């Protein structure tokens, strides 16, 4: 056998084993960053696994028992990854019903965006916001410079909540709709703010808004996801008790299909408008091969969907996400989220206690 053939016979089993391991690691219920980071690249693992299987079968039709077993395991890994992503494809049923109304008195639109603190293209961001024309704008990661450069937005958005920081976890909220009782809270960490407010729709209905930006799993900045998970689950537990319509949004530094996001949905009973529609990958805007849905908008069953789309590039490593919702509480029984189970409540409580 030629050296290139020998190399390939070693490379294919190595790649297969690596992809199988990357599939198995997230099944471990540990919060270490090097485990939880594999929640993210499910698409990439599935595509790479499929390519390895096809090439291996094409180039080496004759295989031993060990190779056949490895191929079978890799095939199972690809199927499992596809299963986890399936709800976020158009082949699955939509969790949120499409609205057929056109009543501006009961509508609310929002742009969620991580502006990237070091990004210098504030003018491009303002142009993008004005083109999308949402009712509310959430900017995550602004420092004082960003707050100053975004002041032109205040002519269109007179209601603001501003908490710029130089640690990449500042927040700015702009609204053309009246805000009631806005507050900045620190749910878990003293330097990680979140914004909480009521917003008054033109019809007079009050909606709870909660905007979060917890730390991501990272080998230096956050070596585990204990505090990130706790912040999400504290919020889930809080909104589950609310009788008002609720929206929770932000750069949650977690992917839509992770175990933590799934647990957040179960505990909060909020809906995800991406289910049955698409991934809506927002990060990394600069590297098309490595993109994940990190920016989220969850809402209670009081709303139906008018529109959901990813906006354009403005220099950040995130794309903004735009959503327009119609307040239709009478139609909520058609899109009820499953109620939380005792096991999900128990898991959430353990994660919150661990952070404390």
């Amino acid at each position: 056998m030629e050296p290139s053939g020998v190399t390939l016979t070693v490379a294919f089993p190595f790649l297969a084993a690596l992809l199988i391991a990357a599939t198995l690691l997230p099944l471990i219920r540990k919060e270490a960053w090097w485990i939880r980071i594999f929640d993210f690249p499910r698409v990439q693992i599935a595509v790479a696994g499929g390519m390895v299987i096809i090439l291996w079968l094409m180039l080496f039709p004759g295989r031993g028992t060990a190779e056949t077993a490895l191929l079978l395991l890799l095939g199972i890994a690809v199927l499992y990854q596809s299963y986890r992503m399936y709800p976020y494809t158009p082949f699955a049923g939509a969790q949120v019903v499409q609205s057929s109304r056109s009543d501006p008195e009961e509508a609310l639109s929002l742009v969620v965006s991580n502006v990237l603190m070091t990004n210098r293209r504030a003018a491009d961001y303002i142009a993008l916001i004005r083109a999308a024309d949402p009712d509310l704008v959430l900017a995550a990661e602004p420092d004082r410079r960003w707050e100053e450069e975004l002041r032109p937005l205040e002519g269109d958005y007179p209601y603001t909540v501003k908490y710029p920081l130089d640690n990449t976890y500042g927040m700015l909220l702009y609204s053309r709709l009246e805000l009631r009782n806005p507050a900045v809270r620190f749910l878990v960490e003293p330097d990680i703010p979140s914004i909480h407010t009521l917003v008054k729709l033109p019809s007079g209905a009050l909606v709870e808004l909660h905007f979060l930006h917890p730390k991501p799993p990272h080998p230096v900045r956050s070596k585990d996801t204990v505090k990130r998970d706790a912040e999400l689950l504290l919020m889930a537990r809080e909104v589950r008790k609310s009788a008002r319509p609720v929206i929770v949004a932000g750069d949650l530094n977690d992917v839509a299909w992770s175990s933590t996001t799934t647990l957040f949905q179960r505990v909060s009973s909020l809906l995800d408008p991406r289910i049955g529609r698409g991934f809506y990958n927002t990060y990394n805007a600069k590297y098309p091969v490595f993109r994940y849905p990190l920016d989220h908008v969850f809402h209670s069953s009081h709303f139906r969907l008018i529109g959901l789309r990813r906006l354009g590039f403005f220099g950040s490593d995130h794309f903004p996400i735009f959503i327009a919702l119609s307040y239709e509480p009478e139609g909520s029984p058609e899109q009820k989220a499953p109620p939380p189970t005792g096991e999900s409540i128990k898991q959430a409580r353990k994660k919150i206690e661990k952070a404390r």
Side-chain angles (χ1 to χ4, degrees):
M1 185 178 292
E2 295 181 1
S4 59
V6 173
T7 302
L8 287 174
T9 57
V10 173
F12 280 127
F14 174 76
L15 287 172
L18 194 65
L19 294 168
I20 292 166
T23 300
L24 291 174
L25 274 173
L27 300 178
I28 301 172
R29 288 191 179 182
K30 297 293 182 181
E31 292 86 4
W33 75 268
W34 57 271
I35 293 176
R36 296 275 59 90
I37 202 71
F38 288 102
D39 284 326
F40 289 58
R42 294 196 183 278
V43 174
Q44 291 80 1
I45 292 170
V47 171
M51 291 175 64
V52 168
I53 291 171
I54 292 169
L55 289 173
W56 200 346
L57 292 174
M58 288 174 59
L59 296 175
F60 301 99
R63 294 172 302 281
T65 304
E67 291 174 322
T68 301
L70 198 58
L71 272 172
L72 180 61
L73 289 173
L74 181 57
I76 293 171
V78 170
L79 289 174
Y80 174 74
Q81 298 287 16
S82 302
Y83 164 77
R84 291 299 300 266
M85 295 180 297
Y86 173 76
Y88 301 91
T89 68
F91 302 106
Q95 188 172 75
V96 178
V97 176
Q98 191 74 33
S99 177
S100 57
R101 284 190 186 178
S102 58
D103 184 356
E105 297 290 302
E106 301 283 17
L108 179 150
S109 57
L110 165 69
V111 166
V112 174
S113 42
N114 182 318
V115 297
L116 183 62
M117 192 176 76
T118 56
N119 181 18
R120 294 294 184 265
R121 292 171 57 176
D124 292 340
Y125 179 69
I126 290 173
L128 181 148
I129 293 300
R130 286 178 170 160
D133 195 31
D135 296 315
L136 296 106
V137 178
L138 175 73
E141 209 173 294
D143 56 6
R144 180 61 64 182
R145 178 187 60 83
W146 266 99
E147 187 272 326
E148 291 173 356
E149 293 190 6
L150 294 185
R151 285 180 187 172
L153 287 176
E154 295 176 28
D156 299 317
Y157 299 93
Y159 301 96
T160 61
V161 182
K162 299 193 281 187
Y163 205 92
L165 289 171
D166 61 4
N167 67 352
T168 73
Y169 291 96
M171 275 191 171
L172 302 173
L173 176 64
Y174 303 89
S175 177
R176 65 162 58 105
L177 303 176
E178 180 186 351
L179 300 180
R180 298 272 186 93
N181 305 321
V184 175
R185 295 165 58 189
F186 299 84
L187 297 176
V188 177
E189 300 187 74
D191 59 343
I192 307 296
S194 53
I195 293 177
H196 310 263
T197 185
L198 296 174
V199 63
K200 184 180 178 182
L201 300 184
S203 66
L206 292 175
V207 177
E208 276 188 36
L209 301 178
H210 303 275
F211 299 111
L212 310 176
H213 184 204
K215 289 182 180 179
H218 191 275
V220 176
R221 289 178 289 175
S222 185
K223 294 185 178 181
D224 59 51
T225 62
V226 171
K227 292 182 178 180
R228 181 202 69 180
D229 297 353
E231 182 166 341
L232 297 179
L233 295 171
L234 276 168
M235 197 75 261
R237 197 163 66 176
E238 182 175 320
V239 301
R240 181 167 55 89
K241 300 173 183 176
S242 177
R244 288 193 177 102
V246 172
I247 295 172
V248 176
D251 172 8
L252 302 188
N253 276 316
D254 196 14
V255 284
W257 44 70
S258 78
S259 56
T260 301
T261 300
T262 301
L263 184 59
F264 169 85
Q265 265 205 277
R266 287 175 182 163
V267 174
S268 67
S269 292
L270 297 183
L271 305 173
D272 185 347
R274 293 168 299 190
I275 291 178
R277 290 187 169 89
F279 296 154
Y280 295 92
N281 294 328
T282 54
Y283 176 92
N284 191 309
K286 299 179 180 181
Y287 302 103
V289 175
F290 298 102
R291 284 185 179 166
Y292 317 108
L294 296 194
D295 299 88
H296 306 250
V297 181
F298 298 99
H299 60 81
S300 60
S301 56
H302 299 84
F303 299 97
R304 291 189 178 189
L305 183 68
I306 297 173
L308 177 67
R309 67 182 188 272
R310 192 180 72 183
L311 302 183
F313 180 71
F314 65 97
S316 174
D317 52 355
H318 287 245
F319 292 107
I321 195 83
F322 172 93
I323 188 168
L325 297 169
S326 174
Y327 179 57
E328 301 179 28
E330 71 283 358
S332 60
E334 298 177 39
Q335 50 180 26
K336 284 283 188 184
T341 63
E343 178 61 24
S344 61
I345 297 296
K346 183 179 177 181
Q347 285 182 40
R349 184 172 64 249
K350 283 184 177 180
K351 283 180 173 285
I352 291 168
E353 288 172 355
K354 191 170 185 177
R356 287 174 173 168

